[in-house]
Amino acid sequence: MPSLKDIRKRIASVKSTQQITKAMKMVAAAKLRRAQEGITQARPYADKMREVIGSLSVRVEQNHHPLLVRREVKKREILMTTSDRGLCGGYNQNVIREVTRLLKETEEGVEVQLNIIGRKGLDYFKRRDYPIRKEYRNILGDIDYKVAAEVGKDIVAAYESEEFDELVMVYNHFRSAISQVVTVQKLLPIEPIPVPEDAVITEYIYEPSEKAILNQLLPRYVEVQIFRAMLEALASEYGARMTAMESATNNASEMIDRLTLDMNRARQAAITKELMEIVGGAEALK
Amino acid sequence: MAEKSFLLEVVTPRRLVLSEKVDEITAPGELGEFGVLPGHIPFFATLGIGEVMYRQGESKRYIAVSWGFAEVLGNKVTILAEIAELDTEIDVERAKRKKELAEEKLKTMSADDKDYLKVKASLNKAMTRMIVAGRRM
């Protein structure tokens, strides 16, 4: 049985760990709130954009824009979002597992390249020598639209110059603080956006032309989708971290209780032993 | 048209900047400034860098916008902009710094430089911000 001193040391150490996990949980909760707000605030823009593209593509013949053209898939690109930091439960593992599955199920003759956001995914796939086209670190902390726009521009340019024929995004979709779902979303070529059949088609005056507007909108649509995915991923990361830290804190509490019990037992034993010794000593003196 | 006012919504990827009843707006279309009064026909335009003015009764307010789209439909005008800042939110010091920086850069550049347009746009944005901020009441 460990000595009283050892147990005391353990308790102190578990306690300080618990303090850290508790603090991390609170930080994650605060950041989660902000990230969630970000999602809500970004929604109107993305929705409106979808709507506009939907109504425009009815008017303009399909396939006139490179981002809409379907090519035979020879090269596929995966854009995955992981976190830069750990201690967030299964968050990164889930994304990595999904990407690994996609890689395994790739049809024959199709090359796959990775675009990785976040250090965790990067470390994993780099160690395993997967082809990585682009990597982004530390861009998730405080997402700016500009950052997403840069990622988007790079991807659109690469797609237009036919470096790849299809782009899939893999990220954690934020459902709630305790539930994040890994989502695979095809981003390029842009799927025609269905227009509800009963939609009233209004005749607009366009300035400049329908085509010119659509040409400007489509690349931006890609950016907005990436931006949204990044926001979702960030909120999911904080959610996952919060849950992980919550359970870590609870586990620490349990451990402290158990150790305290051990400690008391050891102390009791020590006292009993001492008493016995004193009594024994007194007996011997008689 | 009986309505005297319509709804103006300004949205950026980050947030909803404004959603208010207004009586008139003017906006910097890519092909030139345009104005909207109640009862305008459906209209869709791309926006350049410039200021959006909106009038409520007698008071006029301004928003600095940069790149985006405006949709006029029925009783609602929606502006989707990459950047939109209300006159009261603009950081004048920052705009000044940006303006000086862009001017410095432009001195050493020719019109053929590949960044020329970018710097020019950045100068334009900074100036718009300063003008809009100057309209603050």
Side-chain angles (χ1 to χ4, degrees), chain A residues 81-93:
Chain A
T81 312
T82 55
S83 70
D84 287 307
R85 281 190 257 169
L87 292 182
C88 43
Y91 173 82
N92 289 311
Q93 269 315 310

Side-chain angles (χ1 to χ4, degrees), chain A residues 199-235:
Chain A
V200 188
I201 294 175
T202 357
E203 283 305 321
Y204 286 94
I205 295 177
Y206 289 96
E207 192 185 293
S209 64
E210 282 116 319
K211 242 184 190 172
I213 290 175
L214 197 59
N215 288 353
Q216 280 200 35
L217 267 172
L218 289 173
R220 242 160 249 203
Y221 175 72
V222 176
E223 287 168 19
V224 169
Q225 289 298 316
I226 292 174
F227 181 59
R228 218 211 50 216
M230 279 163 71
L231 286 175
E232 296 267 357
L234 189 70

